[in-house]
Amino acid sequence: MTSKVRREETIAVARTSLIAVGGLLAYQLIFNIAAACLGWPRPFANFLCCQGDYFADYFKFVLSYPGGSAVELPDWWIVREQIAPYLIDNPYRGAQGLGGPYITHLHVPPLSTLYSLANLWAMRWVDPLLLFCIQLIGILCYWWHIVHGAVAVRRAALLWFIFGLISYPALMMVARGNLFAAFAGLAIIHALALALQGRGRVAGALLLAVAINIRPNAAIFALIFLLLHWPRRNQAMLVGATATMGLFTVCMFLSGWIYPDYDLPHFFGGLQNYYQRYVVEGGGVAYGSSLSGALAFLFSHRPGLDRLALLLSVAPFLIVLAEHVRHRVDPAILLFASCATYALASTVFADYHLLPFLLVPIAITLAPANDGAMLPRREFDRTVALVASLLVLSPKNYLFDGVLSWQVMLNPAILLTAMLLLCGSALFQFRVGRHAMEKGPGVV
């Protein structure tokens, strides 16, 4: 394939992805505006999330630590009326909330705790809204840096940059103010983008160490990172393991020094509290994409449901992983499978954590598609991965059961269907290859 043809193909995929996600986003916005004009209730008229939740994940969480109630909120703030109640009665509690009917802030890993404490300290000197906006600008610059470094075609890079900005998880992240999701998601994307290009063993391992220390479920991407760097995996493995454990230890010590209530016993107590409130009681189902959440939406939570969801999520991934080891699955498909399993296998998976799916369409354009006899099957696999990724990167909140959108079932259904199609494709190719071997070396 000539460079000119490859360039045009890259631009075409980027343009198609942008139009698809942009079109579905516009349709969602038109639906919400029409619902508001017709006087429909709030779930139908809300764009992206509930009105009272805008920027809540950042301000609500940071202001929940000791000293947060003393932060001054300027009168000119547009969102002051939404943030001010958190100074009086913050829904997040500290150690005193363990064992009670509250949710605590003790469930987050030490790095996220240290980050929150640092932001609370900075709010004494910098306007809190300005501090939030500065970090958002930094996130946008970082996304451009990732795309610019991964995509050689400048026009395509610009299209991918806009594609990321208007994607549903990115908009959801901004609307909810969940900067934790942005930091973890972009670190995952950057690490895997470097691995797909065959570089960045040390830098990628450090990025994944940061992501895992923000969201431990991201450990699945460490496996993918090692597979992509398999010939020189020892260095990446050593750096990644050392950095992950070292970062956890240092941040735990510093967080406990600044905030004495935060220690290992309280951290594990916070995890149990989080599981009770968000999984057992269903607080984490709304605006989520986990298979466990989808099953809880259909049948309500019951013992064994989490294990069933985990089994259904991991089994297809293991088949795709085995096919990759046999050199039958290209890296873009392996990347999609890891993103799908990352979402499906988590007990709670808010939609802003879907950010790593942004790399799947880009990865499809990075790897060569002309692989001889494997071309028809790979074209099918890439189409499945591309369509599924674009669908989950787009909002689909049209039908509601109370305040819960049916998207909480639709996204896991899309991802699980795509994974089963990839498994079916792998098994079909295995049968074809076995039949050809039985017929003899001359049979194609």
Side-chain angles (χ1 to χ4, degrees):
M1 183 182 296
T2 64
S3 59
K4 183 178 180 180
V5 173
R6 183 65 185 275
R7 179 178 181 275
E8 292 302 320
E9 183 181 272
T10 300
I11 294 174
V13 174
R15 185 191 301 115
T16 301
S17 300
L18 179 59
I19 292 173
V21 171
L24 290 172
L25 176 68
Y27 186 76
Q28 177 73 68
L29 181 59
I30 292 171
F31 174 85
N32 294 136
I33 293 174
C37 294
L38 293 172
W40 290 9
R42 269 295 173 191
F44 295 94
N46 288 335
F47 180 63
L48 297 178
C49 63
C50 298
Q51 187 176 7
D53 285 335
Y54 287 120
F55 311 122
D57 287 0
Y58 174 75
F59 292 103
K60 178 169 58 177
F61 199 83
V62 170
L63 295 175
S64 69
Y65 288 91
S69 59
V71 173
E72 296 183 3
L73 305 181
D75 294 333
W76 57 267
W77 271 24
I78 299 176
V79 294
R80 190 182 191 282
E81 293 183 359
Q82 294 177 204
I83 307 301
Y86 303 144
L87 300 179
I88 302 172
D89 184 25
N90 197 301
Y92 284 98
R93 299 291 201 274
Q96 72 277 11
L98 294 175
Y102 304 103
I103 181 68
T104 76
H105 53 222
L106 297 171
H107 65 280
V108 299
L111 178 58
S112 298
T113 300
L114 187 61
Y115 164 79
S116 299
L117 293 170
N119 275 262
L120 181 60
W121 175 85
M123 286 180 183
R124 300 176 184 176
W125 316 100
V126 182
D127 181 279
L129 186 58
L130 177 61
L131 182 64
F132 175 76
C133 291
I134 289 173
Q135 293 179 83
L136 271 184
I137 293 172
I139 289 168
L140 294 180
C141 294
Y142 186 34
W143 170 237
W144 169 249
H145 171 73
I146 294 172
V147 173
H148 185 268
V151 182
V153 182
R154 296 283 77 88
R155 184 179 172 188
L158 179 60
L159 292 173
W160 287 127
F161 176 71
I162 300 172
F163 167 75
L165 296 187
I166 68 169
S167 67
Y168 171 60
L171 293 175
M172 189 71 168
M173 178 274 297
V174 175
R176 292 293 298 266
N178 198 298
L179 302 185
F180 303 101
F183 297 141
L186 291 183
I188 292 168
I189 292 173
H190 196 185
L192 295 180
L194 291 173
L196 287 169
Q197 296 172 293
R199 57 193 183 93
R201 289 190 305 278
V202 174
L206 294 176
L207 286 167
L208 284 178
V210 171
I212 293 170
N213 271 277
I214 297 175
R215 186 165 177 81
N217 302 32
I220 187 175
F221 295 108
L223 173 61
I224 308 306
F225 183 78
L226 290 176
L227 288 174
L228 295 175
H229 280 302
W230 192 250
R232 299 179 179 180
R233 61 191 177 277
N234 291 336
Q235 183 185 29
M237 189 181 304
L238 178 62
V239 172
T242 303
T244 301
M245 293 184 292
L247 191 58
F248 181 91
T249 303
V250 171
C251 290
M252 175 63 76
F253 171 78
L254 292 176
S255 297
W257 179 59
I258 299 170
Y259 178 39
D261 277 355
Y262 189 80
D263 52 24
L264 275 177
H266 282 152
F267 172 56
F268 290 122
L271 290 175
Q272 293 177 351
N273 171 272
Y274 182 87
Y275 182 84
Q276 178 66 31
R277 302 289 169 260
Y278 279 80
V279 180
V280 177
E281 297 178 7
V285 174
Y287 299 104
S289 294
S290 72
L291 185 56
S292 177
L295 294 176
F297 174 72
L298 292 174
F299 309 110
S300 74
H301 180 79
R302 58 193 65 188
L305 199 66
D306 298 342
R307 290 189 291 273
L308 175 62
L310 182 63
L311 176 63
L312 294 175
S313 304
V314 173
F317 174 71
L318 294 178
I319 295 176
V320 175
L321 188 64
E323 283 295 291
H324 176 80
V325 174
R326 292 164 58 90
H327 306 290
R328 294 178 179 272
V329 175
D330 68 33
I333 305 305
L334 182 64
L335 173 62
F336 169 78
S338 61
C339 289
T341 308
Y342 176 52
L344 292 171
S346 300
T347 51
V348 177
F349 193 87
D351 288 337
Y352 36 67
H353 290 301
L354 293 168
L355 283 171
F357 280 95
L358 290 173
L359 185 58
V360 176
I362 300 175
I364 290 174
T365 65
L366 293 179
N370 54 338
D371 194 15
M374 296 299 292
L375 180 59
R377 182 246 172 136
R378 289 202 171 183
E379 285 298 321
F380 172 80
D381 290 352
R382 289 181 178 186
T383 300
V384 169
L386 178 62
V387 171
S389 297
L390 296 180
L391 286 176
V392 298
L393 288 170
S394 306
K396 301 169 289 296
N397 297 305
Y398 304 115
L399 298 176
F400 291 85
D401 182 2
V403 296
L404 294 179
S405 168
W406 275 77
Q407 181 177 260
V408 302
M409 191 187 73
L410 188 57
N411 272 354
I414 291 170
L415 294 176
L416 189 58
T417 300
M419 288 294 289
L420 292 177
L421 286 174
L422 293 177
C423 290
S425 171
L427 294 175
F428 174 77
Q429 185 62 37
F430 175 77
R431 291 186 62 184
V432 170
R434 185 175 180 180
H435 179 70
M437 290 179 61
E438 292 175 351
K439 291 292 185 179
V443 178
V444 179

